[in-house]
C-alpha cells in the first residue's frame, strides 16, 4: 500500500458522513415539511448530499477512488432518503 492510498477506514469515513447527513436531512424534512411538499424537500436534501459528498471527498484530497467514493455516498443517500420518504408517505396515508 502506497502512502497516497487511503486505508479502508479513511475511505469509508467520508461516505458514512454523507449517509449520516442524509438520515438527518430526511428526518428534518419528514418532521417539519408540510405533507404535500415533502417530496420536493427530499429532492433538495439529495442535492445537498451531492454537494456535501463533493466537499467531503475534495477535503480528503486523494484522487484515487474519487468516483467510487462519491458514487457510494450518493447511492447510499438515495436509498436512505427513499426509505425515509416511503415511511413518511405511509404514515401520511394512514393518518388521512
Amino acid at each position: 500500500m502506497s502512502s497516497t492510498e487511503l486505508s479502508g477506514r479513511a475511505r469509508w469515513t467520508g461516505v458514512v458522513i454523507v449517509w449520516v447527513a442524509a438520515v438527518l436531512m430526511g428526518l428534518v424534512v419528514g418532521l417539519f415539511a408540510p405533507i404535500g411538499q415533502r417530496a420536493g424537500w427530499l429532492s433538495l436534501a439529495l442535492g445537498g448530499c451531492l454537494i456535501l459528498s463533493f466537499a467531503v471527498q475534495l477535503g480528503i484530497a486523494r484522487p484515487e477512488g474519487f468516483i467510487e467514493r462519491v458514487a457510494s455516498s450518493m447511492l447510499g443517500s438515495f436509498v436512505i432518503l427513499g426509505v425515509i420518504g416511503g415511511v413518511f408517505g405511509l404514515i401520511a396515508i394512514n393518518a388521512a
Side-chain angles (χ1 to χ4, degrees):
M1 178 195 252
S2 72
S3 62
T4 61
E5 288 183 35
L6 289 173
S7 67
R9 174 181 279 180
R11 180 177 297 140
W12 284 102
T13 301
V15 173
V16 172
I17 289 171
V18 177
W19 291 350
V20 169
V23 169
L24 295 175
M25 284 189 252
L27 291 176
V28 166
V29 167
L31 293 174
F32 296 112
I35 292 174
Q37 297 178 0
R38 285 184 182 156
W41 282 104
L42 284 173
S43 298
L44 288 174
L46 186 61
C49 288
L50 177 64
I51 293 169
L52 179 63
S53 177
F54 277 116
V56 167
Q57 296 309 323
L58 290 173
I60 291 174
R62 298 282 190 255
E64 299 84 14
F66 177 81
I67 299 297
E68 291 87 2
R69 293 189 311 268
V70 171
S72 298
S73 297
M74 290 312 300
L75 179 62
S77 298
F78 182 76
V79 170
I80 289 167
L81 290 172
V83 168
I84 290 173
V87 168
F88 280 115
L90 290 174
I91 290 170
I93 289 172
N94 288 334

